[in-house]
């Protein structure tokens, strides 16, 4: 199962991979997660547009605020741009938003957003990840 993480913070990407891997084990999911990582918006958009005819990923973990270009400062709402681009390209990739701030994506506009998690490096969040991965598996069954 291919899971893409778009986040500019390497430590956070590592934590997300750890939580997802542990969640797969606890839920007895036989398929091992395979991770693809991007740290800025344009890097992911180039990948997405080049591969839009193929199945790009099974699940997208998306930060809300991250740089547009390599070596630039994070820009607020960059995740919203990605969600809009997924809609524009008519890609129904399931998305979990993982941000250090609380984010609510409008369900009517972004039906592929499974949920969001407020990332906090000081709190063990396995239960939250398990809930979101179970929700993803239910979403995937409907597809």
């Amino acid at each position: 199962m291919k899971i893409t993480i778009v986040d500019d913070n390497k430590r956070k990407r590592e934590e997300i991979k750890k939580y997802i891997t542990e969640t797969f084990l606890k839920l007895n999911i036989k398929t091992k997660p395979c991770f693809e990582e991007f740290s800025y918006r344009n890097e992911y958009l180039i990948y997405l547009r080049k591969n839009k005819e193929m199945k790009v990923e099974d699940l997208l973990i998306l930060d809300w605020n991250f740089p547009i270009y390599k070596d630039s400062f994070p820009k607020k709402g960059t995740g919203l741009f990605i969600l809009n681009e997924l809609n524009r390209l008519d890609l129904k990739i399931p998305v979990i938003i993982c941000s250090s701030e609380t984010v609510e994506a409008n369900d009517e506009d972004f039906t592929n957003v499974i949920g969001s998690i407020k990332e906090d490096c000081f709190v063990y969040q396995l239960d939250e990840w398990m809930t979101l991965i179970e929700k993803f598996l239910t979403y995937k069954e409907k597809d």
Side-chain angles (χ1 to χ4, degrees):
M1 184 174 301
K2 187 171 178 188
I3 299 173
T4 300
I5 303 170
V6 181
D7 195 300
D8 57 313
N9 185 318
K10 183 170 177 48
R11 181 209 49 83
K12 187 172 148 192
R13 290 193 312 263
E14 293 302 317
E15 285 292 310
I16 290 169
K17 289 191 297 188
K18 183 184 84 176
Y19 279 127
I20 290 174
T21 301
E22 195 171 337
T23 296
F24 273 48
L25 288 171
K26 286 196 178 271
L27 294 175
N28 292 317
I29 299 170
K30 304 290 183 230
T31 311
K32 290 198 182 286
C34 172
F35 296 100
E36 183 88 35
E37 300 176 48
F38 298 93
S39 58
Y40 57 97
R41 186 194 77 184
N42 286 3
E43 176 186 40
Y44 178 66
L45 288 178
I46 290 167
Y47 164 80
L48 189 65
R49 290 173 183 151
K50 277 185 183 176
N51 299 294
K52 70 180 179 186
E53 301 305 319
M54 306 175 354
K55 184 176 182 184
V56 180
E57 60 245 336
D58 295 300
L59 176 63
L60 173 62
I61 310 295
L62 183 63
D63 190 10
W64 201 246
N65 304 315
F66 53 95
I68 295 172
Y69 309 103
K70 185 177 183 178
D71 300 325
S72 64
F73 292 105
K75 184 165 174 29
K76 195 166 183 68
T78 315
L80 178 61
F81 186 92
I82 297 289
L83 290 177
N84 283 319
E85 188 64 8
L86 290 173
N87 275 354
R88 189 184 75 73
L89 294 171
D90 198 32
L91 295 173
K92 304 296 184 213
I93 301 166
V95 178
I96 294 174
I97 299 168
C98 181
S99 182
S100 56
E101 64 183 60
T102 303
V103 175
E104 295 295 326
N106 185 336
D107 289 344
E108 295 165 8
D109 293 334
F110 306 111
T111 56
N112 56 324
V113 174
I114 294 167
S116 63
I117 187 166
K118 186 170 192 266
E119 189 271 337
D120 185 343
C121 62
F122 299 110
V123 177
Y124 187 65
Q125 296 180 299
L126 183 62
D127 290 341
E128 290 91 334
W129 279 104
M130 285 184 70
T131 300
L132 288 171
I133 295 299
E134 285 174 327
K135 208 170 168 184
F136 158 67
L137 293 171
T138 303
Y139 177 92
K140 194 174 173 199
E141 286 173 7
K142 287 189 240 175
D143 197 23

